[in-house]
Structure formats: structure tokens, C-alpha cells
Coordinates of all heavy atoms in Angstrom, one line a residue:
M1 N -40.1 -43.6 -25.9 CA -39.3 -43.7 -24.7 C -37.9 -43.0 -25.0 O -37.4 -42.3 -24.1 CB -39.1 -45.2 -24.5 CG -38.1 -45.5 -23.3 SD -39.0 -45.1 -21.8 CE -37.9 -45.9 -20.7
L2 N -37.3 -43.2 -26.2 CA -36.1 -42.6 -26.5 C -36.2 -41.1 -26.5 O -35.3 -40.3 -26.2 CB -35.6 -43.1 -27.9 CG -34.2 -42.8 -28.3 CD1 -33.2 -43.3 -27.2 CD2 -33.9 -43.4 -29.6
R3 N -37.4 -40.6 -26.9 CA -37.7 -39.2 -26.9 C -37.7 -38.6 -25.5 O -37.1 -37.5 -25.3 CB -39.1 -39.0 -27.6 CG -39.4 -37.6 -27.8 CD -40.7 -37.5 -28.5 NE -41.1 -36.1 -28.7 CZ -42.3 -35.7 -28.9 NH1 -43.3 -36.5 -29.0 NH2 -42.6 -34.4 -29.0
W4 N -38.2 -39.3 -24.5 CA -38.2 -38.8 -23.2 C -36.7 -38.8 -22.6 O -36.4 -37.9 -21.9 CB -39.1 -39.7 -22.3 CG -40.5 -39.4 -22.5 CD1 -41.4 -40.2 -23.2 CD2 -41.2 -38.3 -22.1 NE1 -42.6 -39.7 -23.2 CE2 -42.5 -38.4 -22.5 CE3 -40.9 -37.1 -21.4 CZ2 -43.5 -37.5 -22.3 CZ3 -41.9 -36.2 -21.1 CH2 -43.2 -36.4 -21.6
I5 N -36.0 -39.8 -22.9 CA -34.6 -39.8 -22.5 C -33.8 -38.6 -23.1 O -33.0 -37.9 -22.4 CB -33.9 -41.1 -22.8 CG1 -34.5 -42.3 -22.1 CG2 -32.4 -41.1 -22.6 CD1 -34.0 -43.6 -22.5
G6 N -34.0 -38.3 -24.3 CA -33.4 -37.2 -25.0 C -33.8 -35.9 -24.3 O -33.0 -35.0 -24.1
L7 N -35.1 -35.7 -24.0 CA -35.6 -34.5 -23.4 C -35.0 -34.3 -22.0 O -34.6 -33.2 -21.6 CB -37.2 -34.6 -23.3 CG -37.8 -33.4 -22.7 CD1 -37.6 -32.1 -23.6 CD2 -39.3 -33.6 -22.6
V8 N -34.9 -35.4 -21.2 CA -34.3 -35.4 -19.9 C -32.9 -34.9 -20.0 O -32.4 -34.1 -19.2 CB -34.5 -36.7 -19.2 CG1 -33.6 -36.8 -17.9 CG2 -35.9 -37.0 -18.8
L9 N -32.1 -35.5 -20.9 CA -30.7 -35.1 -21.1 C -30.6 -33.7 -21.5 O -29.7 -33.0 -21.0 CB -30.1 -36.0 -22.2 CG -29.8 -37.5 -21.7 CD1 -29.3 -38.3 -22.9 CD2 -28.9 -37.5 -20.5
V10 N -31.4 -33.2 -22.4 CA -31.4 -31.7 -22.8 C -31.6 -30.9 -21.5 O -31.0 -29.8 -21.3 CB -32.3 -31.5 -23.9 CG1 -32.5 -30.0 -24.1 CG2 -31.9 -32.1 -25.2
I11 N -32.7 -31.2 -20.7 CA -33.0 -30.4 -19.5 C -31.8 -30.5 -18.6 O -31.4 -29.5 -18.0 CB -34.3 -30.9 -18.9 CG1 -35.5 -30.6 -19.8 CG2 -34.5 -30.3 -17.5 CD1 -36.8 -31.2 -19.4
L12 N -31.2 -31.6 -18.4 CA -30.0 -31.8 -17.5 C -28.9 -30.9 -18.0 O -28.2 -30.2 -17.2 CB -29.6 -33.2 -17.4 CG -28.5 -33.6 -16.5 CD1 -28.9 -33.2 -15.1 CD2 -28.0 -35.0 -16.6
I13 N -28.6 -30.9 -19.3 CA -27.5 -30.1 -19.8 C -27.8 -28.6 -19.6 O -26.9 -27.8 -19.2 CB -27.3 -30.4 -21.3 CG1 -26.7 -31.8 -21.5 CG2 -26.4 -29.3 -22.0 CD1 -26.5 -32.3 -22.9
I14 N -29.0 -28.2 -19.8 CA -29.4 -26.8 -19.6 C -29.3 -26.4 -18.1 O -28.7 -25.3 -17.8 CB -30.9 -26.5 -20.1 CG1 -30.9 -26.6 -21.6 CG2 -31.4 -25.2 -19.6 CD1 -32.3 -26.5 -22.2
A15 N -29.7 -27.3 -17.2 CA -29.5 -27.0 -15.8 C -28.1 -26.9 -15.4 O -27.7 -26.0 -14.6 CB -30.2 -28.1 -15.0
L16 N -27.2 -27.8 -15.9 CA -25.8 -27.7 -15.6 C -25.2 -26.4 -16.2 O -24.3 -25.8 -15.6 CB -25.1 -28.9 -16.2 CG -25.4 -30.2 -15.4 CD1 -24.7 -31.4 -16.2 CD2 -24.9 -30.1 -14.0
Q17 N -25.6 -26.0 -17.4 CA -25.1 -24.8 -18.0 C -25.5 -23.5 -17.1 O -24.7 -22.6 -16.9 CB -25.6 -24.6 -19.4 CG -24.9 -25.5 -20.4 CD -23.4 -25.1 -20.6 OE1 -23.1 -24.0 -20.7 NE2 -22.5 -26.1 -20.6
L18 N -26.7 -23.6 -16.7 CA -27.2 -22.4 -15.8 C -26.4 -22.4 -14.6 O -26.0 -21.3 -14.1 CB -28.7 -22.6 -15.5 CG -29.7 -22.2 -16.6 CD1 -31.1 -22.6 -16.1 CD2 -29.6 -20.7 -16.9
K19 N -26.1 -23.5 -13.9 CA -25.3 -23.5 -12.7 C -23.9 -23.0 -13.0 O -23.3 -22.3 -12.3 CB -25.2 -24.9 -12.1 CG -24.4 -25.0 -10.9 CD -24.7 -26.2 -10.0 CE -23.8 -26.3 -8.8 NZ -23.6 -25.2 -8.0
L20 N -23.3 -23.4 -14.2 CA -22.0 -23.0 -14.6 C -21.9 -21.5 -14.8 O -20.9 -20.9 -14.3 CB -21.6 -23.7 -15.8 CG -20.2 -23.4 -16.4 CD1 -19.1 -23.8 -15.5 CD2 -20.0 -24.0 -17.8
W21 N -22.9 -20.9 -15.3 CA -22.8 -19.5 -15.7 C -23.4 -18.5 -14.7 O -23.1 -17.4 -14.6 CB -23.3 -19.2 -17.1 CG -22.6 -19.9 -18.1 CD1 -22.9 -21.1 -18.8 CD2 -21.2 -19.6 -18.6 NE1 -21.9 -21.5 -19.6 CE2 -20.9 -20.6 -19.6 CE3 -20.3 -18.6 -18.3 CZ2 -19.7 -20.6 -20.2 CZ3 -19.1 -18.6 -19.0 CH2 -18.8 -19.6 -19.9
V22 N -24.4 -19.0 -13.9 CA -25.2 -18.1 -13.1 C -25.2 -18.5 -11.6 O -25.1 -17.7 -10.8 CB -26.7 -18.1 -13.6 CG1 -27.5 -17.2 -12.7 CG2 -26.8 -17.7 -15.0
G23 N -25.2 -19.8 -11.3 CA -25.4 -20.2 -9.9 C -24.1 -20.0 -9.0 O -23.1 -19.4 -9.4
G24 N -24.2 -20.6 -7.8 CA -23.1 -20.5 -6.9 C -21.9 -21.3 -7.5 O -22.1 -22.4 -8.0
G25 N -20.7 -20.7 -7.4 CA -19.6 -21.4 -8.0 C -19.5 -21.2 -9.5 O -18.8 -21.9 -10.2
S26 N -20.2 -20.1 -10.0 CA -20.2 -19.9 -11.4 C -18.9 -19.3 -11.9 O -18.0 -19.0 -11.1 CB -21.3 -18.9 -11.7 OG -21.0 -17.6 -11.2
M27 N -18.7 -19.2 -13.2 CA -17.4 -18.7 -13.7 C -17.2 -17.3 -13.3 O -16.0 -16.9 -13.0 CB -17.5 -18.8 -15.3 CG -17.6 -20.2 -15.8 SD -16.2 -21.2 -15.5 CE -15.0 -20.5 -16.6
H28 N -18.2 -16.5 -13.2 CA -18.1 -15.1 -12.8 C -17.6 -15.0 -11.3 O -16.7 -14.3 -11.0 CB -19.4 -14.3 -12.9 CG -19.3 -12.9 -12.4 ND1 -18.6 -12.0 -13.0 CD2 -19.9 -12.4 -11.3 CE1 -18.7 -10.8 -12.3 NE2 -19.5 -11.0 -11.3
E29 N -18.2 -15.9 -10.5 CA -17.8 -15.9 -9.1 C -16.3 -16.4 -8.9 O -15.6 -15.8 -8.1 CB -18.7 -16.8 -8.3 CG -18.5 -16.7 -6.8 CD -19.5 -17.6 -6.0 OE1 -20.5 -17.9 -6.6 OE2 -19.2 -17.9 -4.9
V30 N -15.9 -17.4 -9.7 CA -14.6 -17.9 -9.6 C -13.6 -16.8 -10.0 O -12.5 -16.6 -9.4 CB -14.4 -19.1 -10.5 CG1 -13.0 -19.5 -10.7 CG2 -15.2 -20.3 -9.9
E31 N -13.9 -16.1 -11.1 CA -13.0 -15.0 -11.6 C -12.9 -13.9 -10.6 O -11.8 -13.3 -10.3 CB -13.5 -14.5 -12.9 CG -12.5 -13.6 -13.6 CD -11.2 -14.3 -14.0 OE1 -11.3 -15.5 -14.3 OE2 -10.2 -13.6 -13.9
T32 N -14.0 -13.5 -9.9 CA -14.0 -12.5 -8.9 C -13.1 -12.9 -7.7 O -12.3 -12.1 -7.2 CB -15.4 -12.2 -8.4 OG1 -16.2 -11.8 -9.5 CG2 -15.4 -11.2 -7.3
L33 N -13.2 -14.2 -7.3 CA -12.4 -14.7 -6.2 C -10.9 -14.7 -6.6 O -10.0 -14.4 -5.8 CB -12.9 -16.1 -5.8 CG -14.2 -16.1 -5.1 CD1 -14.6 -17.6 -4.8 CD2 -14.1 -15.4 -3.8
R34 N -10.6 -15.0 -7.8 CA -9.2 -15.0 -8.3 C -8.6 -13.6 -8.2 O -7.5 -13.4 -7.8 CB -9.1 -15.5 -9.7 CG -9.2 -17.0 -9.8 CD -9.0 -17.5 -11.2 NE -9.1 -19.0 -11.3 CZ -9.5 -19.7 -12.3 NH1 -9.9 -19.0 -13.4 NH2 -9.6 -21.0 -12.3
D35 N -9.4 -12.6 -8.6 CA -9.0 -11.2 -8.5 C -8.7 -10.8 -7.1 O -7.7 -10.1 -6.8 CB -10.0 -10.3 -9.1 CG -10.1 -10.4 -10.7 OD1 -9.1 -10.9 -11.3 OD2 -11.1 -10.0 -11.3
R36 N -9.6 -11.2 -6.2 CA -9.5 -10.9 -4.8 C -8.2 -11.6 -4.2 O -7.5 -11.0 -3.4 CB -10.7 -11.3 -4.0 CG -11.9 -10.4 -4.2 CD -13.2 -10.8 -3.5 NE -13.0 -10.9 -2.1 CZ -13.8 -11.5 -1.3 NH1 -14.9 -12.1 -1.8 NH2 -13.6 -11.6 0.0
V37 N -8.0 -12.8 -4.6 CA -6.8 -13.5 -4.1 C -5.5 -12.8 -4.6 O -4.5 -12.6 -3.8 CB -6.8 -15.0 -4.5 CG1 -5.4 -15.7 -4.3 CG2 -7.9 -15.8 -3.8
K38 N -5.5 -12.4 -5.8 CA -4.4 -11.7 -6.4 C -4.1 -10.4 -5.6 O -3.0 -10.0 -5.3 CB -4.6 -11.4 -7.9 CG -3.4 -10.7 -8.5 CD -3.7 -10.5 -10.0 CE -2.6 -9.8 -10.7 NZ -2.9 -9.4 -12.1
T39 N -5.2 -9.6 -5.4 CA -5.1 -8.3 -4.7 C -4.6 -8.6 -3.2 O -3.7 -7.8 -2.8 CB -6.4 -7.6 -4.6 OG1 -6.9 -7.4 -6.0 CG2 -6.3 -6.3 -3.9
Q40 N -5.1 -9.6 -2.6 CA -4.7 -9.9 -1.2 C -3.2 -10.3 -1.2 O -2.5 -10.0 -0.3 CB -5.6 -11.0 -0.6 CG -5.3 -11.2 0.9 CD -5.6 -10.0 1.7 OE1 -6.7 -9.5 1.6 NE2 -4.7 -9.6 2.6
A41 N -2.8 -11.1 -2.2 CA -1.4 -11.5 -2.2 C -0.4 -10.4 -2.4 O 0.6 -10.3 -1.7 CB -1.2 -12.5 -3.4
E42 N -0.8 -9.4 -3.2 CA 0.0 -8.2 -3.4 C 0.1 -7.4 -2.1 O 1.1 -6.9 -1.7 CB -0.5 -7.3 -4.5 CG -0.4 -7.9 -5.9 CD -1.1 -7.2 -7.0 OE1 -1.9 -6.2 -6.6 OE2 -1.0 -7.6 -8.1
E43 N -1.1 -7.3 -1.4 CA -1.1 -6.5 -0.1 C -0.2 -7.3 0.9 O 0.5 -6.6 1.7 CB -2.5 -6.4 0.4 CG -2.7 -5.6 1.6 CD -4.1 -5.5 2.1 OE1 -5.0 -5.6 1.2 OE2 -4.3 -5.2 3.3
N44 N -0.3 -8.6 0.9 CA 0.5 -9.4 1.9 C 2.0 -9.2 1.6 O 2.8 -9.1 2.6 CB 0.1 -10.9 1.8 CG -1.2 -11.2 2.4 OD1 -1.8 -10.3 3.0 ND2 -1.7 -12.4 2.1
L45 N 2.4 -9.1 0.4 CA 3.8 -8.9 0.0 C 4.3 -7.5 0.5 O 5.3 -7.4 1.1 CB 4.0 -9.0 -1.5 CG 5.4 -8.9 -2.0 CD1 6.3 -10.0 -1.4 CD2 5.4 -8.9 -3.5
D46 N 3.4 -6.5 0.3 CA 3.8 -5.1 0.8 C 3.9 -5.1 2.4 O 4.8 -4.5 2.9 CB 2.7 -4.1 0.4 CG 2.7 -3.8 -1.1 OD1 3.8 -4.1 -1.7 OD2 1.7 -3.3 -1.6
L47 N 3.0 -5.8 3.0 CA 3.0 -5.9 4.5 C 4.2 -6.7 5.0 O 4.8 -6.3 6.0 CB 1.7 -6.5 5.0 CG 0.5 -5.6 4.9 CD1 -0.8 -6.4 5.3 CD2 0.6 -4.3 5.7
Q48 N 4.6 -7.7 4.3 CA 5.8 -8.5 4.7 C 7.1 -7.6 4.5 O 7.9 -7.7 5.4 CB 6.0 -9.7 3.8 CG 5.0 -10.9 4.1 CD 5.2 -12.0 3.2 OE1 5.7 -11.9 2.1 NE2 4.7 -13.2 3.6
K49 N 7.1 -6.8 3.5 CA 8.3 -5.9 3.3 C 8.3 -4.9 4.5 O 9.4 -4.6 5.0 CB 8.2 -5.2 2.0 CG 8.5 -6.1 0.8 CD 8.4 -5.3 -0.5 CE 8.6 -6.2 -1.7 NZ 8.4 -5.5 -3.0
R50 N 7.2 -4.4 4.8 CA 7.1 -3.4 5.9 C 7.5 -4.1 7.2 O 8.2 -3.5 8.0 CB 5.7 -2.8 6.0 CG 5.6 -1.7 7.0 CD 4.2 -1.1 7.1 NE 3.7 -1.4 8.5 CZ 2.5 -1.6 8.8 NH1 1.6 -1.7 7.9 NH2 2.2 -1.8 10.1
N51 N 7.0 -5.3 7.5 CA 7.4 -6.0 8.7 C 8.9 -6.3 8.8 O 9.4 -6.2 9.9 CB 6.6 -7.3 8.8 CG 5.1 -7.1 9.2 OD1 4.7 -6.0 9.6 ND2 4.3 -8.1 9.0
Q52 N 9.5 -6.6 7.7 CA 10.9 -6.9 7.7 C 11.7 -5.6 8.0 O 12.7 -5.6 8.8 CB 11.4 -7.4 6.3 CG 10.9 -8.8 6.0 CD 11.2 -9.3 4.6 OE1 11.6 -8.5 3.8 NE2 11.0 -10.6 4.4
A53 N 11.2 -4.4 7.5 CA 11.9 -3.2 7.8 C 11.7 -2.8 9.2 O 12.7 -2.4 9.9 CB 11.3 -2.1 6.9
L54 N 10.5 -3.0 9.8 CA 10.3 -2.8 11.2 C 11.1 -3.7 12.1 O 11.7 -3.3 13.1 CB 8.8 -2.9 11.5 CG 7.9 -1.8 11.0 CD1 6.5 -2.1 11.3 CD2 8.3 -0.4 11.6
A55 N 11.2 -5.0 11.7 CA 12.0 -5.9 12.5 C 13.5 -5.5 12.4 O 14.2 -5.6 13.5 CB 11.9 -7.3 11.9
A56 N 14.0 -5.0 11.3 CA 15.4 -4.5 11.3 C 15.6 -3.3 12.2 O 16.6 -3.2 12.9 CB 15.7 -4.2 9.8
D57 N 14.6 -2.4 12.2 CA 14.7 -1.3 13.1 C 14.7 -1.7 14.6 O 15.5 -1.2 15.4 CB 13.5 -0.4 12.9 CG 13.6 0.6 11.7 OD1 14.8 0.7 11.2 OD2 12.7 1.2 11.4
V58 N 13.8 -2.7 14.9 CA 13.8 -3.2 16.3 C 15.1 -3.8 16.7 O 15.7 -3.6 17.8 CB 12.6 -4.2 16.5 CG1 12.8 -5.0 17.8 CG2 11.3 -3.5 16.4
E59 N 15.7 -4.6 15.7 CA 17.0 -5.3 16.0 C 18.1 -4.2 16.2 O 18.9 -4.3 17.1 CB 17.3 -6.2 14.8 CG 18.5 -7.1 15.1 CD 18.1 -8.1 16.2 OE1 17.0 -8.5 16.4 OE2 19.1 -8.5 16.9
D60 N 18.1 -3.2 15.4 CA 19.1 -2.1 15.5 C 18.9 -1.4 16.9 O 19.9 -1.1 17.6 CB 18.9 -1.0 14.4 CG 19.5 -1.5 13.1 OD1 20.3 -2.5 13.1 OD2 19.2 -0.9 12.1
L61 N 17.7 -1.1 17.3 CA 17.4 -0.5 18.5 C 17.8 -1.3 19.7 O 18.2 -0.8 20.8 CB 16.0 0.0 18.6 CG 15.6 1.1 17.7 CD1 14.1 1.4 17.8 CD2 16.3 2.4 18.0
K62 N 17.6 -2.6 19.6 CA 18.0 -3.5 20.7 C 19.5 -3.7 20.9 O 20.0 -3.7 22.0 CB 17.4 -4.9 20.5 CG 15.9 -5.1 20.8 CD 15.5 -6.5 20.5 CE 14.1 -6.7 20.9 NZ 13.6 -8.1 20.6
H63 N 20.2 -3.7 19.8 CA 21.6 -4.1 19.8 C 22.6 -2.9 19.4 O 23.8 -3.0 19.7 CB 21.9 -5.3 19.0 CG 21.1 -6.5 19.4 ND1 21.3 -7.1 20.6 CD2 20.1 -7.1 18.8 CE1 20.5 -8.2 20.7 NE2 19.7 -8.2 19.6
G64 N 22.1 -1.9 18.8 CA 22.9 -0.9 18.3 C 22.7 0.4 19.1 O 21.7 1.0 19.1
E65 N 23.8 0.9 19.8 CA 23.7 2.1 20.5 C 23.6 3.3 19.6 O 23.0 4.3 19.9 CB 24.9 2.2 21.4 CG 24.8 3.4 22.4 CD 26.0 3.4 23.3 OE1 26.3 2.4 24.0 OE2 26.6 4.5 23.4
Q66 N 24.3 3.2 18.4 CA 24.3 4.3 17.5 C 22.9 4.6 16.9 O 22.5 5.7 16.7 CB 25.2 4.0 16.3 CG 26.7 4.0 16.7 CD 27.6 3.7 15.6 OE1 27.2 3.0 14.6 NE2 28.8 4.0 15.7
A67 N 22.1 3.5 16.7 CA 20.8 3.7 16.1 C 19.9 4.4 17.2 O 19.1 5.3 16.9 CB 20.1 2.4 15.7
T68 N 20.0 4.0 18.4 CA 19.2 4.6 19.5 C 19.6 6.1 19.6 O 18.8 6.9 19.8 CB 19.5 3.9 20.8 OG1 19.2 2.5 20.7 CG2 18.6 4.4 21.9
E69 N 20.9 6.4 19.6 CA 21.4 7.7 19.7 C 20.9 8.6 18.5 O 20.4 9.7 18.7 CB 22.9 7.8 19.8 CG 23.5 9.1 19.9 CD 25.0 9.1 20.0 OE1 25.6 8.1 20.5 OE2 25.6 10.1 19.5
A70 N 21.0 8.1 17.3 CA 20.6 8.8 16.2 C 19.1 9.1 16.2 O 18.6 10.2 15.9 CB 20.9 8.0 14.9
R71 N 18.3 8.1 16.6 CA 16.8 8.4 16.7 C 16.5 9.4 17.8 O 15.7 10.3 17.6 CB 16.1 7.0 17.0 CG 14.6 7.2 17.0 CD 13.9 5.9 16.9 NE 13.8 5.6 15.5 CZ 13.2 4.5 15.0 NH1 12.7 3.7 15.9 NH2 13.1 4.3 13.8
A72 N 17.2 9.3 19.0 CA 17.0 10.3 20.0 C 17.4 11.7 19.6 O 16.7 12.7 19.9 CB 17.8 9.9 21.3
R73 N 18.4 11.8 18.8 CA 18.9 13.1 18.4 C 17.9 13.7 17.3 O 17.5 14.9 17.4 CB 20.2 13.1 17.7 CG 21.4 12.9 18.7 CD 22.7 12.7 18.0 NE 23.8 12.6 18.9 CZ 24.5 13.7 19.3 NH1 24.2 14.9 18.9 NH2 25.5 13.5 20.2
S74 N 17.4 12.9 16.4 CA 16.6 13.4 15.3 C 15.1 13.6 15.8 O 14.5 14.6 15.4 CB 16.6 12.4 14.1 OG 16.0 11.2 14.4
E75 N 14.6 12.7 16.6 CA 13.2 12.8 17.0 C 13.0 13.6 18.2 O 11.9 14.3 18.4 CB 12.6 11.4 17.1 CG 12.5 10.6 15.8 CD 11.9 9.2 16.0 OE1 11.5 8.9 17.1 OE2 12.0 8.5 15.0
L76 N 13.9 13.5 19.2 CA 13.7 14.2 20.4 C 14.6 15.4 20.6 O 14.4 16.2 21.6 CB 14.0 13.2 21.6 CG 13.1 11.9 21.6 CD1 13.6 11.0 22.7 CD2 11.6 12.3 21.7
G77 N 15.6 15.6 19.7 CA 16.4 16.8 19.8 C 17.4 16.7 21.0 O 17.8 17.7 21.5
L78 N 17.8 15.5 21.4 CA 18.7 15.4 22.5 C 20.1 15.6 22.1 O 20.5 15.4 20.9 CB 18.6 13.9 23.1 CG 17.2 13.6 23.6 CD1 17.2 12.1 24.1 CD2 16.8 14.5 24.7
I79 N 20.9 16.2 23.0 CA 22.4 16.4 22.8 C 23.2 15.8 23.9 O 22.6 15.5 25.0 CB 22.7 17.9 22.7 CG1 22.2 18.6 23.9 CG2 22.0 18.5 21.5 CD1 22.7 20.1 24.0
K80 N 24.4 15.5 23.6 CA 25.3 14.9 24.7 C 25.8 15.9 25.6 O 25.9 17.1 25.3 CB 26.5 14.2 24.0 CG 26.2 13.0 23.2 CD 27.5 12.4 22.7 CE 27.3 11.1 21.9 NZ 28.6 10.6 21.4
P81 N 26.1 15.5 26.8 CA 26.7 16.5 27.8 C 28.0 17.0 27.2 O 28.8 16.3 26.6 CB 27.0 15.7 29.0 CG 26.1 14.5 28.9 CD 25.9 14.2 27.5
G82 N 28.2 18.3 27.3 CA 29.4 19.0 26.8 C 29.3 19.4 25.3 O 30.2 20.1 24.8
E83 N 28.2 19.1 24.6 CA 28.0 19.5 23.3 C 27.3 20.9 23.3 O 26.6 21.2 24.3 CB 27.1 18.6 22.5 CG 27.9 17.3 22.1 CD 27.0 16.4 21.3 OE1 25.7 16.5 21.3 OE2 27.5 15.5 20.6
T84 N 27.5 21.7 22.3 CA 26.8 23.0 22.2 C 25.8 22.8 21.1 O 26.1 22.4 19.9 CB 27.8 24.1 21.8 OG1 28.8 24.1 22.8 CG2 27.1 25.4 21.8
F85 N 24.6 23.3 21.3 CA 23.5 23.2 20.4 C 23.4 24.5 19.6 O 23.3 25.5 20.2 CB 22.2 22.8 21.1 CG 21.0 22.8 20.2 CD1 20.8 21.8 19.3 CD2 20.0 23.9 20.2 CE1 19.7 21.8 18.5 CE2 18.9 23.8 19.4 CZ 18.8 22.8 18.5
Y86 N 23.4 24.4 18.3 CA 23.2 25.6 17.5 C 21.9 25.4 16.6 O 21.8 24.3 16.0 CB 24.4 25.8 16.5 CG 25.7 26.2 17.2 CD1 26.6 25.2 17.5 CD2 25.9 27.5 17.6 CE1 27.8 25.5 18.2 CE2 27.1 27.8 18.3 CZ 28.0 26.8 18.5 OH 29.2 27.1 19.2
Q87 N 21.1 26.4 16.6 CA 19.9 26.3 15.8 C 19.9 27.4 14.8 O 20.1 28.6 15.1 CB 18.6 26.4 16.6 CG 17.4 26.3 15.8 CD 16.1 26.3 16.7 OE1 16.2 26.5 17.9 NE2 15.0 26.0 16.1
I88 N 19.8 27.1 13.5 CA 19.9 28.1 12.4 C 18.5 28.4 12.0 O 17.7 27.5 11.6 CB 20.7 27.6 11.2 CG1 22.1 27.4 11.7 CG2 20.7 28.6 10.1 CD1 23.0 26.7 10.7
V89 N 18.1 29.7 12.1 CA 16.7 30.1 11.7 C 16.8 30.8 10.4 O 17.5 31.8 10.3 CB 16.1 31.0 12.8 CG1 14.7 31.4 12.4 CG2 16.1 30.2 14.1
E90 N 16.1 30.4 9.4 CA 16.1 31.0 8.1 C 15.2 32.2 8.2 O 14.1 32.2 8.8 CB 15.5 30.1 7.0 CG 16.4 28.9 6.8 CD 17.7 29.2 6.0 OE1 17.6 30.1 5.3 OE2 18.7 28.4 6.3
P91 N 15.6 33.4 7.6 CA 14.7 34.6 7.6 C 13.4 34.3 6.8 O 13.5 33.5 5.8 CB 15.5 35.7 7.0 CG 16.6 35.0 6.2 CD 16.8 33.6 6.9
A92 N 12.3 34.8 7.3 CA 11.1 34.6 6.6 C 11.1 35.3 5.2 O 11.6 36.5 5.1 CB 9.9 35.2 7.4
R93 N 10.6 34.7 4.2 CA 10.6 35.3 2.9 C 9.3 36.0 2.7 O 8.2 35.6 3.1 CB 10.7 34.2 1.8 CG 12.0 33.4 1.9 CD 12.0 32.4 0.8 NE 13.2 31.5 1.0 CZ 13.8 30.9 0.0 NH1 13.4 31.1 -1.2 NH2 14.9 30.2 0.2
A94 N 9.4 37.1 2.0 CA 8.2 37.9 1.6 C 7.4 37.2 0.5 O 8.0 36.6 -0.4 CB 8.6 39.3 1.2
S95 N 6.1 37.3 0.6 CA 5.3 36.6 -0.3 C 5.2 37.3 -1.6 O 4.9 36.8 -2.7 CB 3.9 36.3 0.2 OG 3.3 37.6 0.6
T96 N 5.5 38.7 -1.6 CA 5.4 39.4 -2.9 C 6.8 39.9 -3.1 O 7.6 40.3 -2.2 CB 4.5 40.6 -2.7 OG1 4.9 41.5 -1.7 CG2 3.0 40.2 -2.5
P97 N 7.2 40.0 -4.4 CA 8.6 40.5 -4.7 C 8.7 42.0 -4.5 O 7.7 42.7 -4.6 CB 8.7 40.1 -6.2 CG 7.4 40.0 -6.7 CD 6.5 39.5 -5.6
P98 N 9.9 42.5 -4.2 CA 10.0 43.9 -4.0 C 9.7 44.7 -5.2 O 10.0 44.2 -6.3 CB 11.5 44.1 -3.5 CG 12.1 42.8 -4.0 CD 11.1 41.8 -4.1
T99 N 9.2 45.9 -5.1 CA 8.9 46.7 -6.3 C 10.1 47.4 -6.7 O 11.0 47.8 -5.9 CB 7.8 47.8 -5.9 OG1 8.3 48.6 -4.8 CG2 6.5 47.2 -5.5
P100 N 10.3 47.4 -8.1 CA 11.5 48.0 -8.6 C 11.5 49.5 -8.4 O 10.4 50.1 -8.3 CB 11.5 47.6 -10.1 CG 10.1 47.3 -10.4 CD 9.5 46.8 -9.1
P101 N 12.6 50.2 -8.4 CA 12.6 51.6 -8.2 C 12.1 52.3 -9.5 O 12.1 51.7 -10.5 CB 14.1 52.0 -8.0 CG 14.9 50.8 -8.6 CD 14.0 49.6 -8.4
P102 N 11.5 53.5 -9.3 CA 10.9 54.2 -10.5 C 12.0 54.5 -11.5 O 13.2 54.8 -11.1 CB 10.2 55.4 -9.9 CG 10.8 55.6 -8.5 CD 11.3 54.3 -8.1
I103 N 11.7 54.5 -12.7 CA 12.6 54.8 -13.8 C 12.7 56.3 -13.9 O 11.6 57.0 -14.1 CB 12.2 54.2 -15.1 CG1 12.2 52.6 -14.9 CG2 13.2 54.6 -16.2 CD1 11.7 51.9 -16.2
D104 N 13.9 56.9 -13.8 CA 14.1 58.3 -13.9 C 14.2 58.7 -15.4 O 15.0 58.1 -16.1 CB 15.3 58.8 -13.1 CG 15.4 60.3 -13.0 OD1 14.4 60.9 -13.3 OD2 16.4 60.7 -12.5
G105 N 13.5 59.6 -15.9 CA 13.6 60.0 -17.3 C 14.8 60.9 -17.7 O 14.8 61.5 -18.7
G106 N 15.9 60.9 -16.9 CA 17.0 61.6 -17.2 C 17.0 63.0 -16.6 O 17.8 63.9 -17.1
N107 N 16.2 63.3 -15.7 CA 16.1 64.7 -15.1 C 17.2 64.9 -14.1 O 17.7 64.4 -13.3 CB 14.8 64.9 -14.5 CG 13.7 65.0 -15.5 OD1 13.9 64.9 -16.7 ND2 12.5 65.2 -15.0

């Protein structure tokens, strides 16, 4: 009788170990979920920072005339009445350097 109880206990311990290492809720699955939670938390922090920056932009645009004017000037190229618009165009650069003049042998 004691032998059967010992055998049942050994089988029970083996079954519990299998569940711990292989089955649902195993150590591997728990570690994978912890990694995913950590990655998601980092992504959430980045998104919160972005949302705060966007909220600050919205607040500036709602209440600040200067922010609206600066954005209109930079993105839309708008100018105020009475202002003169100047556009500076850089000359195109040659892709190959100019060839040096031939060397004269003293003739």
C-alpha cells in the first residue's frame, strides 16, 4: 500500500513538473509575456511623449498667433501684406570638377 502511495506521488510530481516547464502557463510562456509587456511599456512611453508634444502644438495653435503665423510662413510660404518676398536660388553645381589647364613646357 505504501508503495502505491509513493508511486502516485512520484507521478503527481512529474505531472506538475511537466506543466511547469511545458504546458500552458509554463516558465517559458511567462518569460515571453514579460518581454512583451516590457516592449509594450517602452512603446507606450514613446507614444505618450509624442502625444504630449502634439498636445503642446495644438495648444500653441489654439492660443498663440505667433505659432500659427510661423507655421503658415514655413509650410505654406505665406507673407504679410506690404512685405517683399525674396527667393535666393543657389547655382547648380557641376558633378565633375573642372579640368586643370595644360601644363606649358616653357615654350
